[in-house]
Structure formats: structure tokens, C-alpha cells
Amino acid sequence: MNIPTTMKAAVMTEPRRIVTQERSIPELNEHEVLVKVMAVGVCGSDVHYYEHGKIGNAIVEYPMILGHECAGEVVSVGKSVSRVQPGDRVAIEPQTTCGRCPACKSGKYNLCPDVVFFATPPIDGAFAQYVKAREDFLFPIPDHLSYEEASLVEPFSVGIHAANRTGLKPGDTVAIMGMGPVGLLAVVAAKAYGASRIYVTDLEPVRLEAALKLGATHAINVREQDAVETIKELNGGTGVDVAWETAGNPKALQSALLSLRRGGKLAIVGLPVQAEIPLNVHFMTDHEVDIYGVFRYADTYPAGIKILASGIADVKSLITDSYPLEQTQEAMDRAMNNKSGSLKVMVYPNA
């Protein structure tokens, strides 16, 4: 396969400014793989770095390449690579961990203190024609699964991880607060895990409609209805077994907690701007609520690929906006400014 020596990359040079530049093709070590990037989803973290230049203590070092929800075609492999070969279609888990620390050895490699994650400062991401990744973080995808759908395995993995953390099982009732892309894909995860009722909340009708199409059983517009009261009314007068807050909104987190039955489980998925939020401690203790933090995911890609490849939901319908690499700034502006008409923005580096 003929591989060029340079590539195009969409480079953020300052807040809200991205330009197309020529970069050298990444060089591989013996365990790494070069992937031709075919699709990259725009994530909320990308938008936050684009708009503000930081997330918490993670501060952008300019210039930087954003993008981490990605899939593509293997074009070259290091001499010790055996899991994939040129021509393979793959989803890329956008992190590399040490494999040696207590977190990695216990299977919680998402908590590795030395993790290298695409588009998390100072690491460049996938808004480029080619990226490299260690072979154990590449996962072959079936021919009928598109590159766009394969890129969605990344945000879908967050929902799978939330389901695993809270022990969601067939027949459980679940409330999901916030129908951004992660929340919408969390609906698919809840459906795949056998939830009997999936209550979702949001402010935007288009997002609530999308959630119903993906498998939610009840959609609640919080502009018009009280989330907690409505969920309990619809659920036979009691709270749900499991609640996931995916919006990063303090009020949504409070509602998620209060929507639980006695002995229920809460997963905090969304990351609010402020570090401290008041919650009802009396409710937590009286109801003996279990609370789980959710940080990215671990060992979710094989299951994520199988679930999306099964056709359980039309996740491709979430992609409402598509841009070539040269229009990455327009893609970021679209994701940043349009909260109602846009669901998922996708960039195609090799279009």
C-alpha cells in the first residue's frame, strides 16, 4: 500500500481557531499500527477545549489536534504486530495505558495514572488523515458496520461502562438525564442490557424524539414537566432501579438522585463545570443509595461493536452534520452553537 510521507491535519492554533496544516506521517514502533482515519465524531470535550482551551486541570498546549471518536483502515503495522493487518477496518479505542500499574492490573485501566488519551493535552487527536495506535487498542469491525457507526463505539462505551458500574440487569427500570450524544447512546446501552423501562429527560424536543427512536420508553421535557414527579407517576408511584446523569448539569444530577427507589443506584457520567454540587444527603442515607463515578470506560469495545453491529438501534440516524477535514472549524462551530437542531457532528479526514 502506497503511504505518503505527509498528511493533512486540522490544527487548533488558538481558542476557536482551527487551520489545515501539513504534518509528517506518524512513525511506528514495533507494537504500533498506522490507521487511515475515515470518520471522527465531535465530542463535547472537543468543543470544550475548542471554546475554552481547558477542561479542569487539562490545559491545551497550542498547537493541538482535537478528535478522539474515530475509526479507519489499517495501512501499516509495526514488526511485532499480530492482531491486525493492512486492509483491516477498525474502531480505535483512543487511549494507551501502561499495563503495569495497580489500576491496569486490576482491569480498571481507565484509571491508569499514565494513560495517553487522544485529544487530551498534550496529546494530539484524530482530526488528521492518519493516526497511530498500539495494536491492543484496535478492534476489527464487520463489513456491514460503517466507519461512522464504528466511531460511535467510543461514546457508546461510556453508556456500557455506566451499565456495568451500576449492575444494570434485564427488567430493571432506568432514568437517563440529558440527551446529548452520550445520553442518546446510553439509551441504546440500557436497551441492550434489557431495561424494561427507560425514562429520559431533556430540554429539546428533537433530542427526546431521537431517544424514543433509539429505545427509550418515556420522554420527559423538563421545561414542561417535573422530572422526578413524572418518573414516579409513570413508574407506578415508586422510583427507578438505576439513574444515570449524562448532562453534567447540577439540577439534572439532583433529579437523577431523587428519582431513585430505596436501594437504587446512581451513576454520575456528566462532568459539571463546578466541582462541588449540593445533594440531599438525608435522601442518600435514608434510601441507602449507591453512587458510582464513571470515568471513560474499560474493556467495552468488543461488546460495543457487537451490539451496534447487531442493528439493535439506528445509531447512524444520530449523525446530522458531516464535514470534510478542511472544514473542521465549521464542524466545531456547528457543535458548539447549535444545541437543538444538531445531534452528532462528524468529520471525514479522507473524504
Side-chain angles (χ1 to χ4, degrees), residues 21 47 58 71 76 85-87 90 96 104 108 202 226 236 253 265 273:
Q21 295 181 357
V47 174
S76 180
Q85 59 186 355
V90 294
T96 303
C104 286
K108 297 181 179 181
D202 202 89
D226 180 273
L253 179 56
K265 300 177 180 180
V273 175

Side-chain angles (χ1 to χ4, degrees), residues 252-272:
L253 179 56
Q254 292 162 354
S255 295
L257 171 65
L258 298 177
S259 72
L260 289 168
R261 65 164 173 79
R262 299 175 77 84
K265 300 177 180 180
L266 171 66
I268 303 174
V269 180
L271 189 65

Side-chain angles (χ1 to χ4, degrees), residues 77-310:
V77 301
K79 65 180 182 179
S80 298
V81 170
S82 59
R83 294 181 70 248
V84 296
Q85 59 186 355
D88 284 354
R89 303 170 71 250
V90 294
I92 305 171
E93 184 173 343
Q95 58 186 337
T96 303
T97 57
C98 76
R100 298 181 296 274
C101 69
C104 286
K105 288 188 173 183
S106 68
K108 297 181 179 181
Y109 65 80
N110 57 312
L111 303 182
C112 174
D114 296 318
V115 65
V116 174
F117 200 93
F118 280 16
T120 298
I123 308 303
D124 281 333
F127 287 145
Q129 290 182 304
Y130 296 87
V131 296
K132 68 175 181 178
R134 206 169 69 195
E135 66 168 327
D136 48 321
F137 289 97
L138 296 179
F139 298 87
I141 58 175
D143 290 341
H144 70 274
L145 192 70
S146 69
Y147 287 118
E148 295 95 331
E149 291 165 310
S151 73
L152 294 177
V153 173
E154 200 281 334
F156 183 45
S157 286
V158 178
I160 294 175
H161 192 53
N164 291 338
R165 291 278 286 155
T166 53
L168 186 67
K169 60 186 184 298
D172 278 352
T173 54
V174 59
I176 307 174
M177 311 301 193
M179 289 294 104
V182 168
L184 288 167
L185 287 162
V187 170
V188 181
K191 180 181 179 181
Y193 275 62
S196 60
R197 292 190 175 191
I198 304 171
Y199 305 100
V200 301
T201 69
D202 202 89
L203 298 167
E204 302 296 342
V206 66
R207 295 182 181 274
L208 293 170
E209 291 170 11
L212 290 170
K213 291 178 182 177
L214 291 173
T217 56
H218 301 81
I220 301 163
N221 190 323
V222 293
R223 294 186 196 272
E224 303 168 357
Q225 297 174 287
D226 180 273
V228 176
E229 290 181 3
T230 304
I231 288 170
K232 288 185 176 180
E233 180 181 341
L234 292 169
N235 204 49
T238 188
V240 294
D241 300 305
V242 174
W244 302 337
E245 198 290 318
T246 60
N249 179 283
K251 187 172 182 180
L253 179 56
Q254 292 162 354
S255 295
L257 171 65
L258 298 177
S259 72
L260 289 168
R261 65 164 173 79
R262 299 175 77 84
K265 300 177 180 180
L266 171 66
I268 303 174
V269 180
L271 189 65
V273 175
Q274 58 271 59
E276 298 181 6
I277 294 172
L279 292 174
N280 190 326
V281 176
H282 289 176
F283 183 94
M284 284 186 267
T285 54
D286 181 62
H287 284 64
E288 205 166 76
V289 171
D290 292 334
I291 300 177
Y292 299 85
V294 172
F295 182 67
R296 295 175 181 156
Y297 42 78
D299 196 27
T300 54
Y301 263 62
I305 291 169
K306 287 181 180 178
I307 293 170
L308 294 191
S310 76

